[in-house]
DNA sequence: AATGAATGAGTGTTCATTCAT
DNA sequence: GATGAATGAACACTCATTCAT
């Protein structure tokens, strides 16, 4: 039984093992998952596993990295949008909703990763917590600086932006993890909207306008966010302020 | 060398071992903590440990129970206050702040417990997750029904109360765990106030009044909540009752 | 909870613990029975147990002794009868049947003891095997010397008496243990008769006479063995030979 | 220091460990034998043991199976001989003696196995007793049906065949285990002959013929059983076939 | 590159026994 | 005499990791 298997490239093989590991970890948890479980699931030998990953901890860290690389990409892309919307005027709420939607969708579409990151990675090995909190602080920092930017343009109130960023991510992840762990069906767009309503009201300077837009949004659910052009056209009056 | 040590009462010894276990679990995590670590730390023998706890899982579940019994007591006590405040009129914001303060203080004063519950208990043994999510759902349900009550009295907007409750607890715990895990000093009362502001604005029907009260609160930090008598005197006019 | 219990005499208490131990050992086996099981069953404390028995091995040896003391008494009593019968003439078959009956009844009436001795005592601690085989050899020796006596009077054939004694006890115990371990009903007298028939034919010098007596016995089942007087009267002709 | 030792094939290694285990179990008994004892004796690591056997119980059950597989093979082979002899006429006594000889030799040549099965396997784990009594009942059943066949041909008397089978196996094993456990020399052929004499007399219809053959047998010890051809030639007269 | 037999430190758990009260 | 809290050696078993093939 040696060398029989069709030669995959290093990358393919590594990807394959990583994917299986995600499934097994999500199902059984880090501690309860043995290397044996992973190699059995992936159909490779123990030796092969150690060709690609230096130890059990290593593959878990790679999974954490994978999650945050994808997440960071998403955040960065949306951060650009948010900035455009801000410069485009008050319609940033739509951008925000869009942002929230993508965030929720991302987790809904990666339930195993989500489960592993927020239910398993913390409180196990010190190395996981460290890696994780580095990433989390980074994400929160990005969000906090967006909030600062909004506050500077008087679109939201002055407050402790780091704390507010923590509130927003805490609120979002609480509900995301709740639904991801549950089998129940859920209207992810509705929940994204609820979060946007919640935090836009919480932080808005001009609540009247916010309420008006939210009302419109709610009517338009499933919500089509306006295109950038729409936004530009729609809200010229606020100016760049 | 058997049966030598001075016999404590069952309760004393159990309490002692439980306390040591809390420290060790908080420091090393459930999986990385061996029964040996606990008994060494407590200065008792392996056998003694198993007199009091049927297995490693058992002592961890007892810790989870301990946390939630204390928490439930706190929640129940404050729930009464909230209801009194509601029936007393608009001053419920003070009650809410008070509620938040106690919640934050409770966790600040039990950092190990907090860390164990929110960083370690989930995603390990299925029994932990089960126990934990039972409790969490219960707590959230209590909060949701308070929100409903407020909404019925038109003090807050209509919304999905369960989702909102999740937002609030998610936001609160995110920041609590952040600070508890950090060694940094932090002004717990400030953070409690930030949360109250955040969510009272997010949910308020009458934002003007809320903003006024919040401003007063903020000036008065460290915030003395008015006594019940004050509240009764202060706001008889709303009298929805 | 100290010293509350009605003071039994040493002997009563010891007897009580011993009895409970017999039940527990029979149910769970020596190795699987903990001292805890015994004291719980007896409703006494661990300490009390060690007042009466020096260790777990000790109580088991006491049980072995108990069995063999009772058995030896039975064997001795019957040995006398056999001898009387021999001197009384050919009617010793009745004595033998009687002997067998008592042997079978004894085990039927002490199923736990029987089970412990023949299913558990051997092959555990070396001390058990030693004690047991001492007793067994003794019993077998008694039987062998009875066979020798019969052979000398030409009532049975010349053979290796030790080996024959082993055959007889082996045959008897095989069927006894079989039925004791089973829940099935069984006609113990029938089986005793089968054994007597089997071995009296196997060893008889005068098969014709034996067959005649066996036939009579079988007709008379449930078999009333003749009294000693009957026997004396019935078979004077063979003389003391 | 891991994975260093030269790899044997699965079968070799398993066989090796099993053999060592037989020796250790026979010497110390099941309960008193630790897995450590076995692996030390076999010169392999703990881990290796668990590669081949799922638990301590498992290896013991495998030993029980090993014994009974060999025994069953022997019984089956001889059962055929017995049947041939029966159809060949009264010379079945020779077949029976042969049968007994092989049975006795088998146990003499496997003293550890014999000791484990009849001195240790019963009265320990329930699984052992179950397995064992299944096998024993099967063996006894085979013997009983042979007895029935003989009785139907009027070669032995009518009796309870199951009980008689129990007598025979009980008698045989009692003496076998006695001698196997002892260091004493013993003439196994003599004992086999004693058993055959004992039971052929006990069950014979025509004692006269049996006694004549036994006498011839005894003179011819070490007994050469006649070849099948001899038997065919010798006893054509009965010709039930 | 791939294999899987082998390793052994480490785990949770049991239980006969002791002895201060 | 009776108690039961305390002991700790011993156990069965696991699993991440190695390395000869």
């Amino acid at each position: 039984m040696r060398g029989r298997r069709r030669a995959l490239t290093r990358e393919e093989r590594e990807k394959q093992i990583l994917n299986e590991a995600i499934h097994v970890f999500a199902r059984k948890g880090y501690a309860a998952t043995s290397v044996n479980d992973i190699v059995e699931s992936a159909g490779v030998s123990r030796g092969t596993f150690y060709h690609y990953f230096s130890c059990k901890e290593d593959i878990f860290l790679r999974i954490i990295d994978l999650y945050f690389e994808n997440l960071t990409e998403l955040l960065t892309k949306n951060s650009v949008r948010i900035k455009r919307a801000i410069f485009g005027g008050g319609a940033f709420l739509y951008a925000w909703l869009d942002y929230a939607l993508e965030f929720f969708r991302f987790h809904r579409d990666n339930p195993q990763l989500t489960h592993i990151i927020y239910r398993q990675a913390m409180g196990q090995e010190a190395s996981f917590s460290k890696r994780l909190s580095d990433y989390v602080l980074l994400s929160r920092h990005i969000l906090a600086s967006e909030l600062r930017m909004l506050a500077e343009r008087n679109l939201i109130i002055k407050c402790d932006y780091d704390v507010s960023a923590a509130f927003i991510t805490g609120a979002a992840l609480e509900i995301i993890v709740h639904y991801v762990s549950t089998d129940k069906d859920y209207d992810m767009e509705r929940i994204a909207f609820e979060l946007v309503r919640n935090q836009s009201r919480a932080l808005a300077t001009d609540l009247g306008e916010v309420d008006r837009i939210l009302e419109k949004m709610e009517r338009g659910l499933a919500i089509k966010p306006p295109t950038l052009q729409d936004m530009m056209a729609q809200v010229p009056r606020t100016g760049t302020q």
Side-chain angles (χ1 to χ4, degrees), chain A:
Chain A
M1 285 287 178
R2 291 175 178 187
R4 200 75 57 79
R5 159 187 320 282
R6 154 166 134 51
L8 270 58
T9 65
R10 272 201 76 86
E11 276 189 17
E12 286 170 333
R13 172 78 14 114
E14 186 181 315
K15 187 84 187 169
Q16 173 212 3
I17 298 173
L18 202 69
N19 272 331
E20 291 301 332
I22 288 173
H23 281 85
V24 183
F25 280 135
R27 188 155 26 86
K28 311 184 69 173
Y30 177 76
T33 297
S34 68
V35 171
N36 203 30
D37 292 330
I38 297 171
V39 301
E40 257 177 28
S41 185
V44 298
S45 73
R46 284 165 141 66
T48 301
F49 176 89
Y50 283 94
H51 271 303
Y52 292 95
F53 304 96
S54 67
C55 62
K56 191 183 158 192
E57 202 179 316
D58 179 40
I59 195 172
F60 200 86
L61 284 171
R62 299 268 279 270
I63 291 171
I64 295 180
D65 288 341
L66 180 66
Y67 169 81
F68 279 105
E69 278 157 20
N70 292 343
L71 183 66
T72 303
E73 192 186 351
L74 184 153
L75 293 185
T76 308
K77 199 184 63 190
N78 275 285
S79 207
V80 172
R81 255 197 225 175
I82 290 277
K83 276 171 202 159
R84 271 201 210 129
I86 292 171
F87 290 108
F92 76 93
L93 264 191
Y94 281 100
W96 219 355
L97 178 60
D98 216 32
Y99 194 171
L101 279 171
E102 289 217 25
F103 190 82
F104 278 74
R105 278 188 198 119
F106 172 71
H107 290 94
R108 182 200 55 190
D109 296 341
N110 295 282
Q112 278 109 350
L113 269 183
T114 303
H115 193 253
I116 286 171
I117 299 296
Y118 296 105
R119 285 279 121 110
Q120 293 177 2
M122 305 221 97
Q124 303 260 6
E125 309 281 316
S127 58
F128 301 165
S129 305
K130 179 76 181 65
R131 184 78 59 116
L132 212 54
S133 63
D134 286 351
Y135 280 127
V136 165
L137 288 181
L138 183 64
S139 310
R140 199 184 288 166
H141 186 69
I142 295 174
L143 182 52
S145 60
E146 287 161 4
L147 292 179
R148 175 169 298 107
M149 212 182 306
L150 288 165
E152 280 162 5
R153 285 172 198 284
N154 212 26
L155 294 168
I156 65 168
I157 62 172
K158 266 74 185 164
C159 62
D160 186 322
Y161 309 114
D162 288 313
V163 169
S164 289
F167 288 164
I168 295 173
T169 55
L173 290 169
E174 177 84 6
I175 199 75
I176 284 171
V177 172
H178 171 78
Y179 280 117
V180 160
S181 305
T182 308
D183 283 335
K184 267 198 302 183
D185 262 355
Y186 57 97
D187 183 344
M188 191 241 355
E189 301 195 337
R190 181 82 222 167
I191 295 162
F193 171 75
E194 289 276 354
L195 182 66
V196 168
R197 174 163 67 186
N198 184 280
Q199 286 302 311
S200 57
R201 284 179 53 98
L203 299 173
T205 42
D206 184 347
L207 193 60
E209 168 144 17
V210 161
D211 272 343
R212 241 178 305 119
I213 300 176
L214 286 170
E215 210 175 317
K216 216 158 52 172
M217 274 184 182
E218 196 171 11
R219 274 203 307 274
L221 274 179
I223 306 135
K224 289 283 168 329
T227 62
L228 192 59
Q229 288 83 338
D230 287 347
M231 294 195 301
M232 290 309 197
Q234 185 188 10
V235 284
R237 78 199 128 81
T238 347
T240 356
Q241 197 182 59

